Amino acid sequence: MACVLETPLRMSVLSEVTASSRHYVDRLFDPDPQKVLQGVIDMKNAVIGNNKQKANLIVLGAVPRLLYLLQQETSSTELRTECAVVLGSLAMGTENNVKSLLDCHIIPALLQGLLSPELKFIEACLRCLRTIFTSPVTPEELLYTGPDHQTILFNHGAVQNIAHLLSSTSYKVRMQALKCFSVLAFENPQVSMTLVNVLVDGELLPQIFVKMLQRDKPIEMQLTSAKCLTYMCRAGAIQTDDNCIVLKTLPSLVRMCSKERLLEERVEGAETLAYLIETDVELQRIASITDHLIAMLSDYFKYPSSVSAITDIKRLDHDLKHAHELRQAAFKLYASLGANDEDIRKKIIETENMMDRIVNGLSESSIKVRLSAVRCLHSLSRSVQQLRTSFQDHAVWKPLMKVLQNAPDEVLVVASSTLCNLLLEFSPSKEPILESGAIELLCSLTQSENLALRVNGIWALMNMAFQAEQKIKADILQGLSTEQLFQLLSDSDVNVLMKTLGLLRNLLSTRPHIDQIMSTHGKQIMQAVTLILEGEHNIEVKEQTLCILANIADGTTAKELIMTNDDILQKIKYYMSHSNAKLQLAAMFCISNLIWNEEEGSQERQDKLRDIGIVDILHKLSQSSDPNLCDKAKTALQQYLA
């Protein structure tokens, strides 16, 4: 019986609550504007700090009516302002409240309000917008994001209008102006180049930012001004060897990574520093020897501290909340530090439990931690020494393969780049990776719509095929399929094409393998070679293709596929007389392999090539001023004399 009564009981309670709120909404429809205004003011007082009341009013349809009143030009400024205040208060409730406001298209209405000449109304609209955009449920793309929007703000005089606010007597105003500049400058050369030359009270903007970096300034100000200088440097507006970067910004950011700073400050400091030094070897070296940074970062992995040591539950909660962010920031900074220098990589790997931390990071629940752990691993995998030692000792390929099974594209791109390095011929991880089903995985990557994944998939297969045994080569060809191979050879991206040609070249090495592959795929490969040599491709692509032909010409039975193809022979002849020496040399390798007189059938091949004019070209080339061409031509002519 209780079950039957339960639902009506809930409904009656809800209807009582909403009924008590209904009169607020009814008053919004009163024909007397003064009563409407008073109704909105009463509603404002009723919802302050009362989430239940906010939810009731939304359910009763208050939002569309408030937005209607806010947008009516016949509404008084006071009424429109009070409507914006109530909407802002509703937005301060739960995430569901914000979703309801967004569903009613609140953003365009508030943006339109910014065109009003009334300052109080504009302020109320801005406050409401700020509340909505600080909610995690609001899609960022609803407002200005990305370079296009930065440019729109820039073109409308944002820099000049914000610059003078840096000399405001109000700290809050100065901070907001500083934050604006950091957002405007991020990855935007046009804005950054302008900022360098902006004067505020006779002082250049970078100098003002440097002053804001001083230790006596609030940490928030130091961090944000370091961001501004970092972003301007990365955008090319400030040189990486400028004193304001080397002596001010970099040491300031390293300082933010120390134990004395709050956890959130340490996260922001490490992430900004990682971005600053990401592409510059010298800054990486300077950072690595500043304040024992590499050792300092290992402390980022020690949160939350052991529970027994924490008596304060709030502190534990705080530590837990920031633990993921700290690990992510540390991995990012390690990745930047180790991007180029072998000694720095060695120091990072020798940091306590470093490889274990990376392995654990690869299987964390947080996607951000996984991504930065993979980035760190990728950076360290550029080291031949580490591939042979630490990587093998900790079997990092296992968690890496797991990451590759099911991950978003941004993780897949970095993980597959790392796999490319683990598949280099000197890496001991190569064999176990092969045994774990890597070929199928990589072949599927080559079909991705994401260009970086296609490049990495084919690149890894190319590394896998280098000096590989026949079975692996056969598995690659089977996994790719002839159709997919052709698809890759006609890819519009030159990197995909070059790596696919590199794969073919590695597959077609050592005679038994060349003959075996050409006996099963010869027709299609010759067709692909013809298409590329006839197409509008750059020198490197054509050189690589001629090298593939030279490999085919080195086969025992495979060379007949060239000798019986007059079209290909004419193309080789054409490239022997080409204006580019690289192409001439590659074509000469084909000829040398075809006429080598110690091999069966060499006499017939020599005769045929003489008949089409190859010997005449060899005589000309033997007089070439290029020593390589000259030597190669003379060696080839000796085959005719032997």
Side-chain angles (χ1 to χ4, degrees):
M1 293 293 283
C3 292
V4 179
L5 287 169
E6 191 176 22
T7 308
L9 189 67
R10 277 187 185 163
M11 284 173 69
S12 64
V13 171
L14 183 62
S15 59
E16 274 178 44
V17 175
T18 50
S20 70
S21 309
R22 185 172 294 284
H23 74 281
Y24 288 114
V25 180
D26 291 343
R27 289 167 71 188
L28 300 180
F29 293 89
D30 197 291
D32 182 348
Q34 206 52 41
K35 287 183 178 175
V36 174
L37 174 60
Q38 194 54 50
V40 175
I41 291 169
D42 290 347
M43 186 184 281
K44 175 180 73 175
N45 295 331
V47 297
I48 290 171
N50 189 335
N51 274 351
K52 190 177 280 186
Q53 187 69 278
K54 289 175 187 179
N56 289 338
L57 290 170
I58 288 170
V59 168
L60 290 165
V63 176
R65 183 62 183 171
L66 288 166
L67 284 171
Y68 173 79
L69 294 169
L70 178 137
Q71 293 177 87
Q72 288 305 300
E73 288 184 16
T74 52
S75 299
S76 67
T77 300
E78 192 179 358
L79 175 57
R80 297 171 80 187
T81 304
E82 292 294 349
C83 285
V85 171
V86 174
L87 288 164
S89 189
L90 294 176
M92 283 182 180
T94 63
E95 289 182 0
N96 281 335
N97 289 10
V98 177
K99 283 179 185 170
S100 301
L101 293 172
L102 291 171
D103 290 342
C104 292
H105 307 293
I106 190 172
I107 305 284
L110 292 171
L111 290 174
Q112 193 64 31
L114 301 181
L115 299 174
S116 163
E118 301 296 335
L119 199 58
K120 278 201 166 182
F121 177 50
I122 290 173
E123 278 183 21
C125 289
L126 283 170
R127 285 180 198 279
C128 187
L129 279 167
R130 184 179 65 182
T131 304
I132 290 167
F133 275 101
T134 50
S135 167
V137 299
T138 308
E140 286 179 4
E141 60 270 17
L142 288 174
L143 200 61
Y144 288 125
T145 51
D148 292 349
H149 298 135
Q150 287 171 318
T151 305
I152 291 168
L153 290 169
F154 173 75
N155 290 342
H156 282 78
V159 171
Q160 289 72 17
N161 285 314
I162 296 167
H164 74 277
L165 299 175
L166 287 172
S167 53
S168 166
T169 52
S170 161
Y171 170 74
K172 275 189 172 181
V173 171
R174 290 201 305 279
M175 268 315 303
Q176 293 308 322
L178 200 54
K179 285 177 181 175
C180 266
F181 280 132
S182 75
V183 171
L184 280 168
F186 182 63
E187 293 188 344
N188 195 314
Q190 184 190 15
V191 174
S192 295
M193 292 292 186
T194 305
L195 292 182
V196 171
N197 299 311
V198 169
L199 283 167
V200 180
D201 297 338
E203 206 168 10
L204 285 168
L205 213 47
Q207 293 167 341
I208 293 171
F209 293 154
V210 167
K211 280 186 178 175
M212 289 175 161
L213 277 176
Q214 289 169 357
R215 291 178 190 229
D216 60 343
K217 296 288 187 285
I219 295 298
E220 181 191 28
M221 183 173 272
Q222 290 183 48
L223 256 173
T224 314
S225 49
K227 275 186 176 180
C228 290
L229 290 161
T230 292
Y231 298 161
M232 289 162 74
C233 176
R234 282 298 307 267
I238 300 175
Q239 296 298 310
T240 53
D241 59 358
D242 192 296
N243 281 350
C244 77
I245 298 297
V246 177
L247 303 179
K248 301 290 182 182
T249 310
L250 188 148
S252 175
L253 288 169
V254 172
R255 209 164 57 238
M256 295 301 156
C257 299
S258 71
K259 268 186 180 177
E260 286 70 50
R261 300 269 50 89
L262 295 173
L263 299 188
E264 41 269 71
E265 291 163 359
R266 296 172 78 184
V267 169
E268 211 171 331
E271 290 194 333
T272 308
L273 182 56
Y275 184 64
L276 174 65
I277 68 173
E278 187 179 17
T279 56
D280 190 272
V281 187
E282 199 46 44
L283 288 180
Q284 289 158 11
R285 286 182 184 141
I286 295 166
S288 73
I289 54 168
T290 304
D291 293 353
H292 308 288
L293 176 64
I294 291 174
M296 195 195 295
L297 284 176
S298 71
D299 189 65
Y300 277 48
F301 296 92
K302 294 175 183 173
Y303 292 88
S305 314
S306 60
V307 179
S308 58
I310 296 179
T311 50
D312 184 353
I313 290 296
K314 277 189 177 174
R315 161 86 188 282
L316 174 61
D317 187 51
H318 178 263
D319 283 10
L320 279 167
K321 185 183 168 191
H322 290 287
H324 283 130
E325 292 172 13
L326 283 161
R327 290 197 290 279
Q328 175 200 334
F331 281 137
K332 264 189 191 171
L333 186 43
Y334 277 137
S336 286
L337 284 163
N340 295 288
D341 189 285
E342 190 67 17
D343 291 336
I344 298 175
R345 288 187 198 121
K346 191 168 183 290
K347 277 186 198 168
I348 292 170
I349 284 175
E350 286 170 358
T351 306
E352 56 173 322
N353 305 326
M354 190 62 209
M355 292 309 290
D356 290 332
R357 283 170 178 162
I358 293 174
V359 167
N360 292 336
L362 291 173
S363 51
E364 280 218 22
S365 57
S366 162
I367 186 76
K368 287 184 174 178
V369 177
R370 284 212 305 279
L371 177 58
S372 48
V374 172
R375 280 202 176 122
C376 182
L377 188 66
H378 179 238
S379 184
L380 300 174
S381 73
R382 294 180 179 131
S383 161
V384 175
Q385 181 59 33
Q386 302 311 331
L387 282 174
R388 284 183 167 147
T389 53
S390 308
F391 276 45
Q392 186 62 10
D393 296 343
H394 291 81
V396 294
W397 63 269
K398 284 183 183 174
L400 184 67
M401 286 298 288
K402 201 174 173 186
V403 168
L404 281 160
Q405 301 301 330
N406 183 23
D409 279 6
E410 61 174 338
V411 177
L412 275 179
V413 168
V414 191
S416 53
S417 288
T418 312
L419 194 63
C420 287
N421 292 343
L422 293 182
L423 286 167
L424 290 164
E425 83 278 7
F426 50 74
S427 165
S429 308
K430 186 171 179 175
E431 206 165 305
I433 291 172
L434 279 166
E435 289 164 5
S436 68
I439 292 177
E440 189 182 346
L441 176 88
L442 294 170
C443 288
S444 69
L445 287 185
T446 68
Q447 297 177 29
S448 171
E449 287 181 17
N450 183 311
L451 172 60
L453 287 178
R454 286 205 306 283
V455 170
N456 287 349
I458 202 72
W459 195 342
L461 288 169
M462 181 184 92
N463 287 351
M464 194 183 274
F466 184 74
Q467 294 183 350
E469 57 191 59
Q470 174 65 38
K471 187 188 179 306
I472 292 168
K473 292 182 178 181
D475 288 348
I476 292 172
L477 276 169
Q478 190 179 344
L480 262 186
S481 82
T482 314
E483 189 184 345
Q484 178 59 10
L485 196 60
F486 264 94
Q487 196 74 40
L488 292 164
L489 288 170
S490 55
D491 199 287
S492 57
D493 184 80
V494 72
N495 283 326
V496 174
L497 178 54
M498 280 297 283
K499 295 291 179 282
T500 310
L501 291 170
L503 168 63
L504 264 180
R505 194 173 169 183
N506 286 349
L507 290 170
L508 294 164
S509 62
T510 73
R511 281 188 180 172
H513 297 179
I514 295 167
D515 290 333
Q516 171 61 38
I517 290 168
M518 290 308 287
S519 70
T520 53
H521 295 79
K523 188 182 172 187
Q524 295 94 330
I525 290 171
M526 294 304 285
Q527 197 179 336
V529 165
T530 307
L531 283 171
I532 292 168
L533 290 177
E534 284 176 354
E536 293 291 320
H537 294 289
N538 64 31
I539 297 296
E540 285 71 26
V541 167
K542 297 209 167 181
E543 181 191 17
Q544 187 82 297
T545 309
L546 287 166
C547 288
I548 289 170
L549 267 183
N551 282 15
I552 295 168
D554 193 38
T556 305
T557 55
K559 54 168 55 87
E560 286 310 307
L561 286 162
I562 297 177
M563 290 306 300
T564 54
N565 189 327
D566 290 340
D567 187 21
I568 285 286
L569 288 174
Q570 287 301 324
K571 283 181 172 51
I572 295 170
K573 180 184 172 184
Y574 165 77
Y575 284 108
M576 283 176 75
S577 303
H578 199 275
S579 56
N580 185 282
K582 280 184 176 180
L583 296 182
Q584 286 180 284
L585 206 55
M588 292 272 287
F589 275 109
C590 297
I591 295 298
S592 296
N593 285 345
L594 290 171
I595 62 173
W596 206 252
N597 59 25
E598 290 171 14
E599 291 168 10
E600 195 181 332
S602 61
Q603 190 60 55
E604 290 85 346
R605 290 193 293 276
Q606 286 181 9
D607 292 344
K608 181 166 184 177
L609 293 172
R610 179 188 276 113
D611 292 345
I612 64 167
I614 295 295
V615 176
D616 296 339
I617 299 172
L618 287 174
H619 279 298
K620 276 184 197 167
L621 290 173
S622 66
Q623 308 299 315
S624 170
S625 57
D626 184 310
N628 286 334
L629 280 175
C630 178
D631 289 351
K632 199 75 185 162
K634 285 176 179 173
T635 306
L637 285 169
Q638 282 169 5
Q639 297 302 310
Y640 275 92
L641 300 171

